């Protein structure tokens, strides 16, 4: 097939070079956005007197039939086409003849592709926001059901202080809520129409860019035509936000993997989200969580690829920019696929409260509370800290817990110790006494659940 631009050339493009140059195998994904943009462009051209009513109607008819035929599979993409824009235009001309050749007036593929990708990514980002909301609901509900489940909280993966499983889960709600706002911020900044920037310098036709922008749901137009066709900041912002989502999913996955090991056994994953081994009959592997953790790297890679692709190219459009799409499509698809599996995996995950509680009983995680006990009786915190440290050392030697140590043994270290100390260091008391805002205390957890529910509205 002759190229659209063949006139200037004496020889056809080399076959391998042609394949190398072509983007139809990935940008065909944007056919709906491409056709929608063309429809609005044609409407504007007609309204501005650049196309006649008849021309406009023919073009709309043609584009509508192409859209229908692509949707129903009657028409398939021509893989010899250079890209989706060339494909639709060629198909249109095939269907309506010379009318089709008028559509590209006052437009270039440079602003066309910039428009298509913004429209496409706006939809995808909204899909991801909606999935993130589902995820937050699932985690929040799990937290709601586990407000009484005491487990060890960790620092350095060493048992640190008693917390509730609810408090731990709610930490992830906060992260994913922030991820939602990160996407919303990016959406707000990217929601301007590049169409009408044309190749780079604008056009001599009396177009109305604002009209097209408004009809396509944008908040305005890109104010500089060179920027309009050169800007891929929004891809980087979205990939940055996607990377952060993946990082959060990966951290959570890592914990789920640890928790479902025999060493922890804090949770049991549902059979439908685990796999067996081909050789070890006893195995139940958390493959989904591991894959989410594993796929995080490729999303980071997509971000790096886009940043690197852009860093050295002069204004305005360069073919390098065609590389934006595979990266952002891959990142988008990865995030969506991960969320689609992660959400039901968390929903069907069963916490094993007894094991959490048992683990919380070990590791002297109430030692801070014992120091606080002495401090509340008037001892400076540092002195209390030192005394409790000595007591912990003694307990380790005797292989007993703080609860098992006799009052007389406590009194050797300080006569501030009394019978009431045992109430103060029970795991339940350690949690209940935490009254600061945001803490693991029962009231605070309720407040956090209400906060999350409010944010989801
Ligand atoms: N397929 C191209 C891309 O994705 C479309 C824009 C081509 N523009 C050009 N002047 N060659 O970037």
């Amino acid at each position: 097939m002759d190229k659209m631009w063949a006139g200037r050339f004496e020889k056809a493009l080399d076959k391998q070079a042609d394949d190398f140059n072509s983007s139809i195998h990935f940008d065909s994904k944007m056919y709906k956005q491409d056709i929608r943009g063309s429809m609005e462009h044609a409407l504007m051209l007609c309204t501005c007197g650049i196309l006649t009513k008849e021309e406009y109607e023919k073009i709309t008819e043609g584009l509508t039939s192409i859209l229908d035929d692509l949707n129903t599979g009657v028409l398939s993409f021509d893989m010899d086409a250079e890209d989706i824009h060339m494909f639709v235009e060629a198909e249109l001309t095939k269907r309506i003849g010379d009318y089709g050749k008028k559509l590209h007036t006052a437009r270039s593929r440079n602003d066309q592709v910039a428009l298509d990708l913004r429209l496409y990514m706006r939809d995808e980002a909204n899909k991801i926001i909606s999935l993130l909301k589902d995820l937050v609901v699932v985690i929040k509900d799990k937290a709601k059901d586990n407000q009484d489940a005491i487990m060890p909280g960790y620092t350095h993966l060493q048992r640190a202080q008693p917390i509730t499983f609810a408090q731990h889960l709610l930490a992830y709600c906060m992260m994913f809520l922030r991820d939602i706002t990160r996407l919303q911020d990016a959406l707000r900044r990217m929601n301007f129409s590049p169409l009408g920037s044309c190749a780079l310098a604008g056009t001599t036709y009396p177009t109305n860019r604002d009209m097209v922008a408004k009809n396509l749901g944008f908040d305005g137009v890109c104010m500089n035509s060179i920027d309009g066709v050169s800007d891929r900041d929004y891809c980087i912002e979205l990939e940055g936000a996607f990377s952060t989502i993946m990082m959060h999913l990966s951290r959570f996955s890592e914990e789920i993997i640890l928790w479902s090991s025999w060493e922890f056994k804090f949770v049991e994953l549902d059979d439908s989200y685990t796999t067996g081994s081909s050789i070890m009959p006893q195995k139940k592997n958390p493959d989904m969580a591991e894959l989410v953790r594993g796929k995080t790297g490729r999303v980071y890679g997509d971000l790096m690829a886009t940043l690197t692709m852009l860093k050295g190219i002069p204004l305005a459009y360069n073919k390098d920019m065609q590389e934006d799409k595979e990266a952002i499509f891959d990142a988008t698809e990865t995030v969506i696929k991960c969320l689609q599996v992660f959400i039901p995996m968390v929903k069907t995950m069963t916490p094993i409260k007894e094991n959490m509680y048992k683990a919380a009983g070990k590791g002297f995680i109430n030692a801070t509370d014992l120091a606080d006990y002495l401090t509340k009786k008037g001892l400076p915190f540092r002195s209390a800290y030192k005394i409790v440290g000595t007591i912990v050392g003694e307990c380790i030697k005797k292989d007993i817990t703080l609860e098992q140590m006799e009052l007389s043994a406590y009194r050797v270290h300080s006569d501030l110790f009394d019978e009431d100390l045992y109430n103060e260091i029970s795991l339940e008391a350690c949690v209940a006494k935490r009254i600061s805002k945001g803490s693991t205390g029962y009231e605070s957890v309720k407040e956090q659940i209400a906060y999350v529910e409010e944010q989801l509205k």
Side-chain angles (χ1 to χ4, degrees):
M1 189 176 57
D2 257 1
K3 292 286 177 206
M4 207 74 81
W5 33 257
R8 187 219 179 282
F9 294 80
E10 288 179 1
K11 276 167 74 183
L13 181 60
D14 170 80
K15 172 79 180 96
Q16 228 167 19
D18 197 6
D19 290 344
F20 184 65
N21 195 45
S22 164
S23 55
I24 184 90
H25 61 283
F26 52 85
D27 64 20
S28 56
K29 237 188 225 313
M30 308 190 297
Y31 76 91
K32 285 185 185 154
Q33 288 75 13
D34 193 76
I35 292 174
R36 189 172 166 216
S38 289
M39 297 259 215
E40 290 304 333
H41 179 64
L43 175 63
M44 180 277 290
L45 290 179
C46 177
T47 311
C48 296
I50 303 165
L51 284 182
T52 65
K53 188 132 195 294
E54 189 198 346
E55 288 164 341
Y56 166 66
E57 277 165 3
K58 283 277 176 202
I59 288 173
T60 313
E61 237 170 72
L63 287 173
T64 308
S65 72
I66 294 173
L67 181 63
D68 288 347
D69 290 352
L70 285 172
N71 281 340
T72 53
V74 172
L75 174 66
S76 45
F77 299 108
D78 171 10
M79 286 302 149
D80 286 336
E82 188 176 325
D83 54 31
I84 183 63
H85 327 294
M86 292 295 211
F87 168 74
V88 173
E89 192 181 324
E91 184 62 31
L92 185 66
T93 307
K94 222 188 269 171
R95 292 186 183 204
I96 62 168
D98 279 352
Y99 293 108
K101 298 181 184 167
K102 294 215 164 181
L103 172 63
H104 212 52
T105 313
R107 187 176 75 172
S108 150
R109 272 188 299 155
N110 297 349
D111 57 343
Q112 194 179 352
V113 73
L115 174 77
D116 292 2
L117 191 55
R118 277 189 202 227
L119 289 174
Y120 184 86
M121 286 315 302
R122 193 172 66 182
D123 290 347
E124 296 302 297
N126 278 311
K127 252 186 239 167
I128 293 176
I129 287 176
S130 145
L131 281 166
L132 284 172
K133 284 183 181 168
D134 294 346
L135 175 61
V136 174
V137 169
V138 162
I139 304 173
K140 182 264 300 171
D141 286 345
K142 193 123 295 202
K144 227 173 176 171
D145 292 342
N146 289 284
Q147 296 176 65
D148 59 343
I150 295 178
M151 67 180 271
Y154 295 83
T155 63
H156 312 268
L157 200 57
Q158 300 286 321
R159 289 171 186 156
Q161 289 179 343
I163 57 168
T164 61
F165 191 46
Q167 168 76 354
H168 196 105
L169 291 174
L170 284 163
Y172 284 106
C173 286
M174 306 306 166
M175 295 177 222
F176 293 119
L177 282 176
R178 280 198 299 278
D179 288 337
I180 292 172
T181 63
R182 245 183 288 278
L183 289 175
Q184 288 166 337
D185 284 349
L187 279 170
R188 220 170 293 133
R189 251 188 308 280
M190 73 187 260
N191 203 30
F192 293 88
S193 170
L195 202 72
S197 299
C198 304
L200 78 161
T203 181
T204 55
Y205 290 94
T207 53
N208 185 346
R209 293 187 61 203
D210 292 303
M211 175 186 167
V212 182
K214 189 160 175 270
N215 290 346
L216 290 171
F218 287 107
D219 296 321
V221 300
C222 300
M223 280 304 289
N224 177 290
S225 61
I226 295 179
D227 183 48
V229 290
S230 308
D231 169 29
R232 297 292 185 275
D233 292 5
Y234 65 95
C235 294
I236 288 166
E237 284 197 55
L238 291 174
E239 285 161 349
F242 296 166
S243 296
T244 308
I245 294 166
M246 290 304 298
M247 177 273 290
H248 288 149
L249 287 174
S250 183
R251 265 182 112 164
F252 201 171
S253 293
E254 168 65 11
E255 296 208 297
I256 290 171
I257 293 161
L258 281 173
W259 291 341
S260 41
S261 70
W262 281 108
E263 283 68 15
F264 279 80
K265 262 295 165 242
F266 286 1
V267 298
E268 181 76 31
L269 288 173
D270 194 78
D271 282 1
S272 39
Y273 294 96
T274 46
T275 59
S277 154
S278 59
I279 168 168
M280 298 164 281
Q282 83 284 9
K283 289 297 285 293
K284 183 172 173 184
N285 296 327
D287 284 28
M288 307 308 135
E290 291 169 68
L291 268 175
V292 169
R293 188 177 60 184
K295 283 177 188 291
T296 301
R298 52 188 288 170
V299 177
Y300 293 179
D302 293 326
L303 168 64
M304 273 314 130
T306 310
L307 279 168
T308 312
M309 178 274 285
L310 285 166
K311 74 179 266 293
I313 52 178
L315 300 178
Y317 178 84
N318 300 263
K319 193 74 173 208
D320 314 43
M321 292 166 83
Q322 182 163 287
E323 290 290 311
D324 58 0
K325 280 171 284 301
E326 278 172 297
I328 200 154
F329 292 162
D330 179 69
T332 306
E333 218 168 87
T334 306
V335 173
I336 290 177
K337 276 191 197 156
C338 288
L339 283 169
Q340 282 170 341
V341 173
F342 197 85
I343 294 167
M345 182 186 73
V346 172
K347 192 177 174 145
T348 54
M349 173 178 88
T350 313
I352 309 173
K353 295 186 192 183
E354 318 82 77
N355 290 349
M356 292 181 181
Y357 193 84
K358 251 186 263 160
K362 295 176 203 150
F364 302 96
I365 67 177
N366 44 6
T368 314
D369 291 79
L370 188 61
D372 283 343
Y373 167 87
L374 288 178
T375 309
K376 282 176 191 156
K377 293 206 168 186
L379 211 60
F381 181 77
R382 270 289 156 250
S383 316
Y385 169 92
K386 198 166 167 213
I387 291 173
V388 173
T390 315
I391 293 171
V392 167
E394 212 175 295
C395 286
I396 291 172
K397 270 190 215 128
K398 293 185 185 156
D399 195 22
I400 55 171
T401 65
L402 290 174
E403 293 89 326
Q404 289 165 335
M405 179 147 148
E406 302 276 352
L407 182 58
S408 54
Y410 271 113
R411 281 184 165 283
V412 172
H413 296 280
S414 165
D415 50 17
L416 290 172
F417 283 120
D418 241 316
E419 202 56 58
D420 59 349
L421 83 89
Y422 296 102
N423 285 335
E424 290 293 304
I425 62 171
S426 77
L427 293 177
E428 288 76 8
C430 291
V431 171
K433 280 184 299 160
R434 292 219 154 32
I435 51 170
S436 59
K437 208 174 172 111
S439 71
T440 193
Y442 299 113
E443 281 315 306
S444 157
V445 164
K446 281 201 171 53
E447 195 182 8
Q448 292 177 57
I449 291 169
Y451 170 83
V452 171
E453 284 171 348
E454 184 59 37
Q455 296 297 306
L456 284 169
K457 273 183 198 157

